[in-house]
Amino acid sequence: MRARTAALVAAVMPVTVAAAAVALKAGHWELYADRHRIHLTPIARRSCPDCRGAGGWWVGGANPEMEPCGCWAERRELTLRLLPPPHRPL
């Protein structure tokens, strides 16, 4: 029974990882994961008519600044904490 369960998990894992990669790409998210957290950051959409995937545009003037596009800047970043960060003595 354990061998059968292990074989089933081994067969399902690549499919699950591939499905997660497709979902992240379709939703325009960037994934960062380590043992302490999983962090999802929105990225600019290549099909955006305003920025065309650049993420924003430069606003001229005396001090030029980058104006972020709403296709990514108005979306929240998501963080899921897994383990507490290591305690470091002062």
Side-chain angles (χ1 to χ4, degrees):
M1 185 66 151
R2 287 184 183 171
R4 183 177 176 192
T5 303
L8 182 62
V9 169
V12 170
M13 284 301 287
V15 174
T16 304
V17 170
V22 168
L24 287 171
K25 187 168 186 142
H28 301 282
W29 292 96
E30 182 177 53
L31 173 71
Y32 173 78
D34 62 14
R35 62 188 294 194
H36 301 290
R37 69 184 176 276
I38 297 173
H39 189 79
L40 293 170
T41 306
I43 56 175
R45 297 171 191 238
R46 291 188 302 169
S47 62
C48 177
D50 296 329
C51 71
R52 296 181 180 86
W57 50 90
W58 288 98
V59 177
N63 298 319
E65 294 181 351
M66 180 79 160
E67 181 73 28
C69 184
C71 70
W72 70 271
E74 295 172 359
R75 294 169 57 192
R76 293 182 5 172
E77 293 183 3
L78 305 170
T79 302
L80 177 65
R81 293 183 186 246
L82 301 174
L83 293 173
H87 177 69
R88 297 191 178 146
L90 298 175

